[in-house]
Structures are given as C-alpha cells and as structure tokens.
Amino acid sequence: MTRTLYTNARVFTADAATEWAEALVVDGDTLVYVGDESGAREAAGTDVAAIDLAGGLVLPGFTDAHTHLVMMGEALGRVALTDARTLDAIQSRLVAARAADLGAPRLLGRGWLFDSVPGGSPTAAMIDAVVADVPVYLDANDYHSCWLNRAALIEIGITRDTPDPIGGTIGRDDDGEPNGMLYETAAQQYVWGHLATVTTDDDRDRAVERTIDAYLATGVTGVVDMAFDELGLAAFQRAAERRGGALPIRVAAHWFVGNTGDDAQNLAQVERAAQLAREIGSPWLRVAGIKLVLDGVIDACTAAMRHPYADGSNADPIWPLDRLKPVVAAADAAGLQVAMHAIGDLASDLALDAIEHAQLENGERERRHRIEHLEYAAPGTADRMSRLGVTASMQPVHADPAIWDNWAAMLGDDRADRGFAWPEYVDAGARLAFSTDAPTAPHGALPNMYIAATRRSALDSSFEPNRPDFALPLAQAIVHATRDAAASCGEEHVRGSIRAGLAADFAVLDTDVFAAGEESLLTAAVVRTVVAGTTVYEA
Ligand SMILES: [Zn+2]
C-alpha cells in the first residue's frame, strides 16, 4: 500500500490550469491526482491509506527563496529580545537566561531595538549591571550592530587603542573608551569573527536542527541558502547522514564568493562552487549557484545609489564592474546560477550589466540568474530584468511598516515612495520570488504573506500600511512564495505547485485564509507539513 488519499480539504494549487481542488492522491513521493473527491477515490483504488484533512486549507509547500540556514538556527538559540521594549525587560531576560545555564561560557542575544534602550544609546554598563561574569553579545534587530558588556570587549580585545575597521565604528564614550557598541563591519569582524572561532560542530548541528524544525512548522518545504560555505555544507551533510542520507526539507544553496580584490582568487571560489555543484546532486542538498554581495543596506546608507542619500553621502559598490564581469561570466559558463545582493539602484545596474556581458560572452543557454532584495530599483529596471530573464528575489517582511521610517528617511525624497515595488516586476513579466532573508527578519511564511498582501505591519498593527497599492492579491502572493520561489532555483517542473506528476510537498492550515481574510494570516497555524509524500510535521 503506497497510495495515500487526502480528502475534506480546500486545495489552492498555485497551478494556472486548475486553481482549486478538494482532494489529492499521493503515490510514494509524487502527486498522482489533484481534483474533486469522487475522482480522487477512483484514482486511489481500494488499497489506500486515507487521511481526512478536517476542512483545512492545503497550500503548496512554501520555498523560502533567500535565507541563511545556520545563522537562523543560531539566532533561534539566542535570547530573543525584540519584544523586550524597555531596558528593564531586556535586563530581566538576560538575568533569567544566565540563571538557566550557569555553565555557559558566554551569553548571546538577538533582536533588540534601539528604541527599547533609554536615549537609544546602549552601553556596556547597562549589561554589566545584571550580567558581568561572562561575555555578553547582543545582536541588534537588523544585524548591523552589536551591543557588548565589558567582559565581551575584553574577550575580543577591543581597547581604546583599537582602530575603527573600514566600513565600521567602535562606539566610544567622551573619554575615548569603548562603550560597548560595535557598528557594521566592526560587529562583523570582531564579534562574528570571534564567535565563529568558538562555535563547534555540535553547536552548528543544533542550529541546523532548530532551523529545520522551525521551517517545517511554518509550512516551508524548500529553502535556498544565500551564503553557503564549507562549515554550513558540512553541517547539512551531517544532518543528512543522521537520517540515512535524506533531509525532511529541500536545500538548494548559493556558495558565497567574496571580492578578494584579485581576479584569480575570485575565480578560484567560483571553481569550488562549480565542483560542489557537480559533486552534490541530491534532491535534498545541492549547490545551485554563487552569491555575490554588491552593496550594503539603505538603513545604514551603505547601499550603492545612482544619486546620494538625504545626508549627501553615497556608498561605493563592493564589486566594481571590472571585477564583477569575469566572476559572473565564469559562473554562467559553468552553468551556475548567479545571485547578487543589490539593494540600491546603482548595484542593480551593475548586476544587470554583468549578466548582459555574460550572455554576450557565453551565448544562448539555459540560465536563471537573480537579484536579491531590489529594495530601491530605478524605473526601467524591472523591464530590463524581464528582457534578460533575471529573477527578482524580494522579501515582503523587509517592507514591514514598523521598520520603514528610518529606511525612508535615509533616502529622504520621492525614491522612498517606490520602495519594494513588487507589482512592477509582475507587470514587466519578470519572475518574482518571495522569501524572508531569515534571520534578518522573522522566518514565518504566513506573516510574510500578510505583508505581501496588505503592506501592513506583522509586528505592530498600529502602523499605517505603506504604499497599499503595492500589495498583491493573496493568491498571487502565495504563488510567488511557492511556485515561483521553487522556480527561482529551477525546480518548477519538480515541485512548487500542486499538480499530478509533481512532488507531494504541501502544507495544511487550520484556517482558510482566503475566506477568513488577510488578518487571519497572523493567527492561522500550519497543522501538517508533507514533503515528498511523508508527513514531516504535525501540530
Ligand atoms: Zn541574505
């Protein structure tokens, strides 16, 4: 008996031919029938396992088309501080976390907001007042700064004589002493660099398991990692080995390629990705392409813009075009997908210039390159992407009105009104894939759909929606997060919608969010997640 009959459901298929169905039949790992119940019973035959879905809503499994899997699991293991909205609340969480694990060599937290701290000015002394005996590292909500106590400053060797790194700042008091705050590359180099050296394989294994559990519980059946490296690869290979070779979620990865300033070294990184793409060919874990970060973020005025920010500043791209072109051309020739982080309009211009160059160089072939984020893209960019066949990979959750004000203020002009312009890509005919970029934003699939369909805040209902005319109809938003997100890594003929012949990857919700309205996306729960015909999560 290998067939399973699912009945008593409302099925949104994300398939243009038949948008809605009421029953499914799965044979092994594949959907063999999608349609009405009598047809399903006929297709199922008599030797069949029957599952009554109790009137639930079935959606194709979500694909989080841009995420950071190990970092997300690490973040889930840290003290959560986003909803601690006063210094008192932050301090009592730290006290409780310290008391809960007295053997821990250090205390890690994440997600605190500047406006939860008096004057928006955190200091090492504020942490020392409650936890001074071990180093404490607290990542801010946007992962662009880190707040440390005195023991942490000592552990990583930051003193008044430590210079600011390029692209970063060490916060200092009036006497020039480090005050406990590290910004941008200072946080990345000193804190993340140090924590990477004290993180063990066991730590990473636990992180991977937390990530897998969290995704399955929100109906995500596929993920695209956007900064895979040797450590992440090894951790996922161990996770597969623990299960006899298969994972309960489909992982496609983009190999991180950093600009070393040397073409030969850059190309060596591309060659490593190409080698892994050839060697690792499992449906559960594969290297799909490379990831390049062309610029920073608008909130910190580090995204590369055609025109300056409100304060007159601008940022140079991290990859100048003459270094970018050979890397993109080499990856394209090797059949790798190229994903480029481009938040500012100058950066997306560069990305498209490099893709155009690769097409001229390498001629006609199947290619599926993509631009990540596109938070502000100039008019005409979507048309150019459509012409070049480039996917727009965007994160509704980054357009949450609760984190909008600073973003808009940095631009300071009518550019802010064109932020996160999803309908432009749809209208231009470019492929639009949705994702969360966890852990820079919450990983939940349904709150992400809420923002996509309303432009309202999933964090705080008191905010007005921003550009509500940019909201997408819910059905369309879900298609971009399922079928098109699977297509972003070339798998739309394998999975991503509910159609006979495709993989049986789907999620069952306790609420019909189409009938109950968009607000219900904030309270609906996933009650069952099925991957390749196997129930991998059940509430
Ligand atoms: Zn990312």
Side-chain angles (χ1 to χ4, degrees), residues 254-271:
H254 281 246
W255 196 254
F256 182 79
V257 173
N259 180 12
T260 62
D262 176 276
D263 286 341
Q265 283 185 48
N266 293 345
L267 292 171
Q269 298 176 72
V270 175
E271 182 40 47

Side-chain angles (χ1 to χ4, degrees), residues 66 68 291 373 437:
H66 178 137
H68 301 272
K291 164 76 177 301
H373 309 308
D437 197 16

